[in-house]
Amino acid sequence: MNSERNTALTNEMIKLAFVESLRKLNPKTMRKNPVMFVVEIGFLVTIIMTFFPSFFGAESDFYYNGFVSIILLITILFANFAESIAEGRGKAQAESLKKTQKDLQARVLLEDGSYSYVCSKDLKKGDIIFVEAGELIPSDGEVIKGLASVDESAITGESATIIKESGGDFSSVTGGTKVISDQLTIRITSNPGESFLDRMISLVEGAKRQKTPNEIALNIILVSLTLIFLIVCVTLVPISGYVGVTIPIATLVALLVCLIPTTIGGLLSAIGIAGMDRVTKFNVIAKSGKAVEAAGDINTIILDKTGTITYGNRMASEFITVEDVKSVELTKAALLSSLYDETPEGRSIVELTKELELIEIEQNMKESFGVEFNAQARMSGTDFQNGLKVRKGAVDAVKEYVIMQGGVIPSDLDDKTKLIASKGGTPLAVVVDNKIMGLIYLKDTVKVGLKERFDQLRKMGIKTIMCTGDNPLTAATIAKEAGVDEFIAEAKPEDKIAVIKREQAEGKLVAMTGDGTNDAPALAQADVGMAMNSGTIAAKDAANMVDLDSDPTKIIEIVGIGKQLLMTRGALTTFSIANDIAKYFAIIPAMFMLTIPQMSTLNIMNLATPQSAILSALIFNAVIIPLLIPLAMRGVKYLPMKSTKLLSRNLLIYGMGGVIIPFIGVKLIDILLVSINLV
């Protein structure tokens, strides 16, 4: 699965959706959608009247009653078709994911140290398995021994391999991925049917989608409107009788169906399912529709600095000398300190010094050995056979080292350290024996285009907060360059939870991203927590979304999708309710104008006959549902702006459109019916 996978409708998908729409005619299924259930009851009433008019004590009008019945059936099928199409896309994605699942033979480590082969579907939580290069990982687990590169393209669609190792934030592995090099010992973390891939499959299958709180609330409103219009239609019978007008039951049913919000009632489920589908297109698995909707209401986003706001690959960009040290001396010392440093920072230092061709690297490596970085010393470097020691590391760590060696701290070291930090860089001090030679300026740049994206979030009324372990000066510089609203420097895991709780206490919804075990509490506390697929099991379990591409900035797109989902639902609800106005002007005059000629003044569309007016409104009511399916599936285009402006814009477009379009549509259908002599 990848973000570019094709979810276009196929002929097979359309056929399956049509069959499914027929199955959904079962009243047990239809009652889950109260609005369309009322339409189905209306259909049953009119179809009985068509063939057994005496059952209701009504006069027989076979063609009129039959025509109304057919239109009502088509209305129901169109509504079912919309939901089936949305579900079909999810099921198509699920089928592609199921191909990833295979019954593999897994080597389970026994207590005596030997291995036993078992089928992957029989693996249980806690089993220890062994996987070598070229083999598929049979189920979700956590690496407890070894280091290997893993191909996750079957899950994420990304070709780049990921290094997995025991401990740390890159220890979790997913079933269906492939070990490319070396070998891993893995502890299984899920029981059969509960793996990450199993959850993905069930989540993208629209049929299993739970209704969200907003959707439930809207359903209640639609049911209330349906009841109100039902009462209105029932009371029309005695009122019309009082003025000497007999209204056919089929006409009353048509009036009820046209007045209740059938358009949004038929599209509501499709909108929600399509919203989940748009999230999966971005290679993000939402554990519930509630999470997607919550993303649409987010007020605050908490983002990590390294790898999210900045590229995270700090590179040497400049050497800054101190006191009387010459530039050549510092450059040579920086190179010697990085001979054995295979980190991106170390390689960038070597690349920066290679241009000078000051020393023979190979000769120096023959006469020396490397000193690896460790958390206690916070330095790395090179020791030479002649006793020379060259180190580089954090400035405060190097200062302590020099003092212990009996050296002197240069007078301008602190000022130049602050200068680098003020530019948003990271300073590394270089020392030869006990003499500090100068500083290496490591630069971590803000991602291209991120400032503009934060500006968009600001227009949407969303506040951005950057959390970083950097010192306040560096954090302030990066925050200003990136354009975030606030920042927290020298942040610890508990600081993230504290800021989330602070924002939530102000009535705001908060989103954040994370990948480590130490991020799990904050991910669980946030209203929208998006974990990286490359992260730990704890982070993925705590979050309510998992990004398969492990791109922390994707939370910005998810917020946009959530807002688009809410806006689509609101726009189509506005359109649905607004177009009842035109149908009112079509049907009400048609019901009374033969007996009460004065009612004809309300026939502003100049519809030909009462039957033509009723059938035209009913046909438009049915046809508008499939016409809006593409919009429900694609979603209303979202533009970053304040909610008040967005509301005004949607009311203008979909409110006015909902009033004008039905007038045109009903009139055209009326002309067509008259021209083919159907009325």
Side-chain angles (χ1 to χ4, degrees):
M1 184 177 71
N2 57 54
S3 58
E4 299 297 328
R5 67 181 179 279
N6 184 12
T7 55
L9 298 181
T10 62
N11 291 333
E12 183 65 23
M13 196 180 297
I14 292 173
K15 290 178 183 177
L16 291 174
F18 178 73
V19 173
E20 190 64 26
S21 63
L22 292 174
R23 289 176 182 167
K24 288 179 181 290
L25 290 174
N26 186 332
K28 290 184 178 179
T29 304
M30 291 299 300
R31 68 183 183 184
K32 296 177 183 177
N33 188 338
V35 176
M36 299 314 299
F37 185 53
V38 169
V39 179
E40 186 173 47
I41 293 173
F43 161 71
L44 293 175
V45 169
T46 56
I47 198 68
I48 292 173
M49 286 183 58
T50 302
F51 295 100
F52 308 101
S54 59
F55 185 84
F56 290 96
E59 293 183 5
S60 176
D61 192 342
F62 180 82
Y63 292 105
Y64 176 66
N65 293 342
F67 204 180
V68 170
S69 300
I70 292 171
I71 297 172
L72 292 180
L73 177 61
I74 291 172
T75 303
I76 301 166
L77 290 175
F78 280 159
N80 290 348
F81 184 77
E83 185 174 7
S84 299
I85 280 289
E87 291 175 355
R89 292 171 70 169
K91 289 174 182 176
Q93 294 168 21
E95 288 301 318
S96 67
L97 288 172
K98 286 176 182 177
K99 294 178 183 177
T100 307
Q101 287 186 314
K102 298 179 180 179
D103 289 332
L104 306 172
Q105 290 296 310
R107 280 176 288 183
V108 178
L109 181 64
L110 303 178
E111 293 182 359
D112 60 2
S114 62
Y115 292 100
S116 173
Y117 285 88
V118 301
C119 186
S120 60
K121 63 184 180 181
D122 295 326
L123 288 172
K124 303 183 297 296
K125 188 175 182 178
D127 286 344
I128 307 297
I129 64 169
F130 180 76
V131 186
E132 289 184 315
E135 296 179 347
L136 292 174
I137 296 172
S139 186
D140 293 357
E142 192 164 10
V143 178
I144 58 175
K145 184 179 178 182
L147 182 149
S149 57
V150 176
D151 177 9
E152 296 187 330
S153 59
I155 303 297
T156 67
E158 298 296 327
S159 57
T161 58
I162 306 295
I163 301 298
K164 298 289 185 178
E165 58 184 324
S166 60
D169 294 342
F170 293 90
S171 59
S172 73
V173 291
T174 305
T177 57
K178 187 176 183 179
V179 176
I180 300 301
S181 68
D182 303 291
Q183 54 196 25
L184 297 172
T185 303
I186 300 168
R187 179 186 292 110
I188 299 300
T189 56
S190 63
N191 288 314
E194 298 176 358
S195 70
F196 182 64
L197 199 56
D198 288 318
R199 294 200 301 272
M200 285 167 61
I201 292 170
S202 64
L203 285 168
V204 298
E205 287 182 319
K208 298 181 181 179
R209 187 185 65 90
Q210 297 293 317
K211 290 186 183 296
T212 61
N214 282 345
E215 194 172 341
I216 292 171
L218 183 55
N219 255 320
I220 293 172
I221 294 173
L222 298 183
V223 170
S224 301
L225 288 173
T226 302
L227 288 173
I228 291 170
F229 286 121
L230 180 61
I231 294 170
V232 169
C233 291
V234 170
T235 55
L236 276 176
V237 175
I239 292 172
S240 61
Y242 179 77
V243 296
V245 177
T246 301
I247 303 176
I249 294 176
T251 299
L252 281 173
V253 171
L255 175 64
L256 175 62
V257 170
C258 286
L259 292 185
I260 64 177
T262 50
T263 305
I264 186 62
L267 295 172
L268 188 58
S269 294
I271 294 169
I273 296 169
M276 295 284 286
D277 176 65
R278 284 194 293 275
V279 172
T280 59
K281 281 184 182 179
F282 276 88
N283 260 10
V284 174
I285 297 299
K287 295 183 179 180
S288 69
K290 183 180 179 181
V292 181
E293 278 197 354
D297 287 327
I298 286 299
N299 306 108
T300 304
I301 298 181
I302 298 175
L303 298 158
D304 191 25
K305 178 184 81 75
T306 305
T308 303
I309 292 176
T310 63
Y311 284 103
N313 51 345
R314 299 180 304 174
M315 298 297 177
S317 63
E318 187 181 353
F319 298 125
I320 300 175
T321 59
V322 292
E323 290 189 344
D324 57 348
V325 177
K326 295 180 180 180
S327 178
V328 172
E329 294 174 329
L330 170 58
T331 304
K332 181 178 179 179
L335 177 57
L336 292 176
S337 70
S338 305
L339 290 176
Y340 297 91
D341 189 348
E342 293 301 320
T343 65
E345 292 92 339
R347 289 195 294 271
S348 72
I349 294 169
V350 173
E351 287 298 320
L352 190 60
T353 60
K354 268 184 179 180
E355 300 174 6
L356 303 177
E357 298 180 355
L358 294 174
I359 58 175
E360 291 291 336
I361 295 177
E362 292 184 7
Q363 182 63 34
N364 278 275
M365 293 186 73
K366 289 179 181 179
E367 300 173 354
S368 63
F369 59 89
V371 177
E372 292 185 0
F373 177 88
N374 65 75
Q376 285 76 25
R378 292 191 295 157
M379 294 187 298
S380 64
T382 308
D383 285 352
F384 290 85
Q385 293 177 3
N386 60 8
L388 182 70
K389 294 183 178 182
V390 185
R391 299 285 188 272
K392 71 173 188 297
V395 176
D396 57 342
V398 169
K399 286 166 70 174
E400 291 180 12
Y401 173 80
V402 168
I403 292 172
M404 290 177 61
Q405 298 293 323
V408 178
I409 306 300
S411 58
D412 57 350
L413 179 65
D414 289 341
D415 290 338
K416 292 185 176 180
T417 299
K418 290 179 181 178
L419 179 63
I420 293 174
S422 68
K423 296 179 181 179
T426 301
L428 291 182
V430 181
V431 57
V432 177
D433 288 334
N434 65 352
K435 181 179 180 180
I436 295 178
M437 309 299 291
L439 298 166
I440 302 171
Y441 176 7
L442 296 180
K443 189 175 183 180
D444 188 5
T445 56
V446 172
K447 290 184 176 180
V448 177
L450 207 57
K451 185 178 178 66
E452 289 74 18
R453 296 171 81 181
F454 287 148
D455 287 339
Q456 288 184 345
L457 290 174
R458 200 170 293 110
K459 291 177 183 177
M460 293 156 58
I462 298 173
K463 180 169 69 174
T464 51
I465 301 177
M466 181 186 77
C467 285
T468 176
D470 286 339
N471 62 70
L473 196 57
T474 300
T477 303
I478 294 294
K480 183 178 180 181
E481 185 179 348
V484 296
D485 299 306
E486 293 183 15
F487 69 89
I488 301 173
E490 299 175 343
K492 304 178 185 65
E494 52 267 29
D495 295 328
K496 294 181 181 179
I497 297 178
V499 72
I500 292 172
K501 289 183 176 179
R502 183 194 75 194
E503 294 292 314
Q504 289 173 334
E506 296 175 4
K508 298 177 181 177
L509 295 182
V510 183
M512 79 157 286
T513 62
D515 59 2
T517 300
N518 60 348
D519 291 324
L523 288 169
Q525 179 68 38
D527 300 285
V528 176
M530 191 171 78
M532 303 298 102
N533 190 41
S534 60
T536 61
I537 294 292
K540 288 190 278 190
D541 285 344
N544 49 24
M545 289 188 182
V546 178
D547 176 22
L548 301 180
D549 297 329
S550 300
D551 177 7
T553 62
K554 203 180 288 183
I555 189 70
I556 299 173
E557 275 86 5
I558 299 305
V559 169
I561 291 172
K563 287 189 175 294
Q564 185 185 39
L565 170 62
L566 296 176
M567 195 175 73
T568 301
R569 188 178 294 151
L572 292 182
T573 301
T574 302
F575 182 90
S576 177
I577 295 173
N579 69 26
D580 287 341
I581 297 174
K583 290 179 280 187
Y584 170 86
F585 278 102
I587 295 182
I588 296 298
M591 292 168 60
F592 295 99
M593 63 184 181
L594 291 181
T595 307
I596 309 174
Q598 293 83 353
M599 290 289 289
S600 61
T601 56
L602 293 176
N603 185 19
I604 59 178
M605 285 184 279
N606 196 29
L607 302 177
T609 66
Q611 284 190 336
S612 170
I614 292 167
L615 293 177
S616 297
L618 204 57
I619 291 172
F620 176 84
N621 191 67
V623 170
I624 197 65
I625 294 176
L627 292 179
L628 289 175
I629 288 177
L631 181 61
M633 302 290 285
R634 185 181 64 250
V636 174
K637 185 178 180 181
Y638 178 72
L639 298 174
M641 62 179 67
K642 296 289 184 180
S643 56
T644 51
K645 288 185 178 180
L646 204 56
L647 178 62
S648 301
R649 178 179 179 273
N650 286 342
L651 285 175
L652 179 64
I653 296 175
Y654 296 97
M656 291 298 294
V659 172
I660 296 170
I661 291 175
F663 275 97
I664 299 172
V666 170
K667 180 59 181 178
L668 290 175
I669 295 171
D670 174 72
I671 294 171
L672 179 63
L673 292 177
V674 172
S675 65
I676 59 178
N677 296 318
L678 277 179
V679 291

